[in-house]
Coordinates of all heavy atoms in Angstrom, one line a residue:
R502 N -32.2 -86.2 -1.4 CA -30.9 -86.3 -2.1 C -29.7 -86.0 -1.3 O -28.6 -85.8 -1.9 CB -31.0 -85.3 -3.3 CG -32.2 -85.4 -4.2 CD -32.4 -86.9 -4.7 NE -31.3 -87.4 -5.4 CZ -31.2 -88.7 -5.7 NH1 -32.1 -89.6 -5.3 NH2 -30.2 -89.2 -6.5
R503 N -29.8 -86.1 0.0 CA -28.6 -85.8 0.8 C -27.6 -86.9 0.6 O -27.9 -88.0 0.2 CB -29.0 -85.8 2.3 CG -29.6 -84.6 2.8 CD -30.1 -84.6 4.3 NE -31.1 -85.6 4.5 CZ -31.6 -85.9 5.7 NH1 -31.1 -85.3 6.8 NH2 -32.6 -86.7 5.8
I504 N -26.3 -86.6 0.8 CA -25.3 -87.6 0.7 C -25.4 -88.7 1.6 O -25.2 -89.9 1.4 CB -23.8 -86.9 0.8 CG1 -23.7 -85.8 -0.3 CG2 -22.7 -87.9 0.8 CD1 -22.5 -84.9 0.0
H505 N -25.8 -88.3 2.9 CA -26.0 -89.3 4.0 C -27.2 -88.8 4.8 O -27.3 -87.6 5.0 CB -24.8 -89.5 4.8 CG -24.8 -90.6 5.8 ND1 -25.4 -90.4 7.0 CD2 -24.4 -91.9 5.8 CE1 -25.4 -91.6 7.7 NE2 -24.7 -92.5 7.0
I506 N -28.0 -89.7 5.3 CA -29.1 -89.3 6.1 C -28.8 -88.6 7.4 O -29.6 -87.9 8.0 CB -30.0 -90.5 6.3 CG1 -31.5 -90.1 6.6 CG2 -29.5 -91.4 7.5 CD1 -32.5 -91.2 6.5
G507 N -27.5 -88.7 7.8 CA -27.1 -88.0 9.0 C -26.7 -86.6 8.8 O -26.4 -85.9 9.8
N508 N -26.7 -86.1 7.5 CA -26.3 -84.8 7.3 C -27.5 -83.9 7.6 O -28.7 -84.1 7.3 CB -25.9 -84.6 5.8 CG -24.6 -85.2 5.4 OD1 -23.9 -85.6 6.3 ND2 -24.3 -85.2 4.2
W509 N -27.2 -82.7 8.3 CA -28.3 -81.9 8.9 C -28.1 -80.4 8.6 O -29.0 -79.6 8.9 CB -28.4 -82.1 10.4 CG -27.1 -81.9 11.1 CD1 -26.2 -82.9 11.4 CD2 -26.6 -80.7 11.6 NE1 -25.1 -82.4 12.1 CE2 -25.3 -81.0 12.3 CE3 -27.0 -79.4 11.7 CZ2 -24.6 -80.0 12.9 CZ3 -26.3 -78.5 12.3 CH2 -25.0 -78.7 12.9
C510 N -26.9 -79.9 8.2 CA -26.6 -78.5 8.2 C -26.7 -77.9 6.8 O -26.0 -78.3 5.9 CB -25.2 -78.3 8.8 SG -24.9 -76.5 9.1
N511 N -27.7 -77.0 6.6 CA -27.8 -76.2 5.4 C -27.6 -77.1 4.1 O -26.7 -76.8 3.3 CB -26.8 -75.0 5.4 CG -26.9 -74.1 6.6 OD1 -28.0 -73.8 7.0 ND2 -25.8 -73.7 7.1
Q512 N -28.4 -78.0 3.9 CA -28.2 -79.1 2.9 C -28.4 -78.6 1.5 O -29.4 -77.9 1.1 CB -29.1 -80.3 3.2 CG -28.7 -81.1 4.4 CD -27.3 -81.6 4.3 OE1 -27.0 -82.6 3.6 NE2 -26.3 -81.0 5.0
S513 N -27.4 -78.8 0.7 CA -27.5 -78.5 -0.7 C -28.6 -79.3 -1.4 O -28.7 -80.5 -1.2 CB -26.1 -78.8 -1.4 OG -26.2 -78.5 -2.8
G514 N -29.4 -78.6 -2.2 CA -30.4 -79.3 -3.0 C -31.8 -79.4 -2.3 O -32.7 -79.8 -3.0
A515 N -31.9 -78.9 -1.1 CA -33.1 -79.0 -0.4 C -34.1 -78.0 -0.9 O -33.8 -77.0 -1.5 CB -32.9 -78.8 1.1
G516 N -35.4 -78.3 -0.6 CA -36.5 -77.4 -1.1 C -37.6 -77.3 0.0 O -37.7 -78.2 0.9
L517 N -38.4 -76.3 -0.1 CA -39.6 -76.2 0.8 C -40.5 -77.5 0.5 O -40.7 -78.0 -0.6 CB -40.4 -75.0 0.4 CG -39.7 -73.6 0.5 CD1 -40.6 -72.5 -0.1 CD2 -39.4 -73.3 2.0
G518 N -41.1 -77.9 1.7 CA -41.9 -79.1 1.6 C -43.4 -78.7 1.6 O -43.8 -77.6 1.2
E519 N -44.2 -79.7 2.0 CA -45.7 -79.4 2.0 C -45.9 -78.1 2.8 O -45.3 -77.9 3.8 CB -46.4 -80.6 2.7 CG -46.4 -81.8 1.8 CD -47.4 -81.8 0.7 OE1 -48.3 -80.8 0.7 OE2 -47.4 -82.7 -0.1
R520 N -46.9 -77.4 2.3 CA -47.3 -76.2 3.1 C -48.0 -76.6 4.4 O -48.6 -77.6 4.5 CB -48.2 -75.3 2.2 CG -47.8 -75.1 0.8 CD -46.3 -74.6 0.6 NE -46.1 -74.5 -0.9 CZ -45.3 -75.3 -1.5 NH1 -44.6 -76.2 -0.9 NH2 -45.1 -75.1 -2.8
P521 N -47.9 -75.7 5.4 CA -48.5 -76.0 6.6 C -50.0 -76.3 6.4 O -50.7 -75.6 5.7 CB -48.4 -74.7 7.4 CG -47.0 -74.2 6.9 CD -47.1 -74.5 5.4
Q522 N -50.5 -77.4 7.1 CA -51.9 -77.8 6.9 C -52.3 -78.6 8.1 O -51.4 -79.3 8.8 CB -52.1 -78.6 5.6 CG -51.2 -79.7 5.4 CD -51.2 -80.4 4.0 OE1 -52.1 -81.1 3.7 NE2 -50.3 -80.0 3.2
T523 N -53.6 -78.7 8.3 CA -54.1 -79.3 9.5 C -54.6 -80.7 9.2 O -55.2 -80.9 8.2 CB -55.3 -78.5 10.1 OG1 -54.8 -77.2 10.5 CG2 -55.9 -79.2 11.4
S524 N -54.4 -81.7 10.1 CA -54.9 -83.1 10.0 C -54.7 -83.7 8.6 O -55.6 -84.2 8.0 CB -56.4 -83.1 10.4 OG -56.6 -82.6 11.7
P525 N -53.4 -83.7 8.1 CA -53.2 -84.2 6.8 C -53.2 -85.7 6.7 O -53.3 -86.2 5.6 CB -51.8 -83.6 6.4 CG -51.1 -83.6 7.8 CD -52.2 -83.2 8.8
A526 N -53.0 -86.4 7.8 CA -52.9 -87.9 7.8 C -53.3 -88.4 9.1 O -53.3 -87.7 10.1 CB -51.5 -88.3 7.4
A527 N -53.5 -89.7 9.2 CA -54.0 -90.3 10.4 C -52.9 -90.1 11.5 O -51.7 -90.3 11.3 CB -54.2 -91.8 10.3

Side-chain angles (χ1 to χ4, degrees):
R502 307 311 298 169
R503 285 178 291 177
I504 299 169
H505 188 276
I506 205 165
N508 288 352
W509 55 267
C510 193
N511 301 324
Q512 289 299 285
S513 177
L517 301 170
E519 289 284 350
R520 314 307 177 250
Q522 54 191 278
T523 301
S524 302

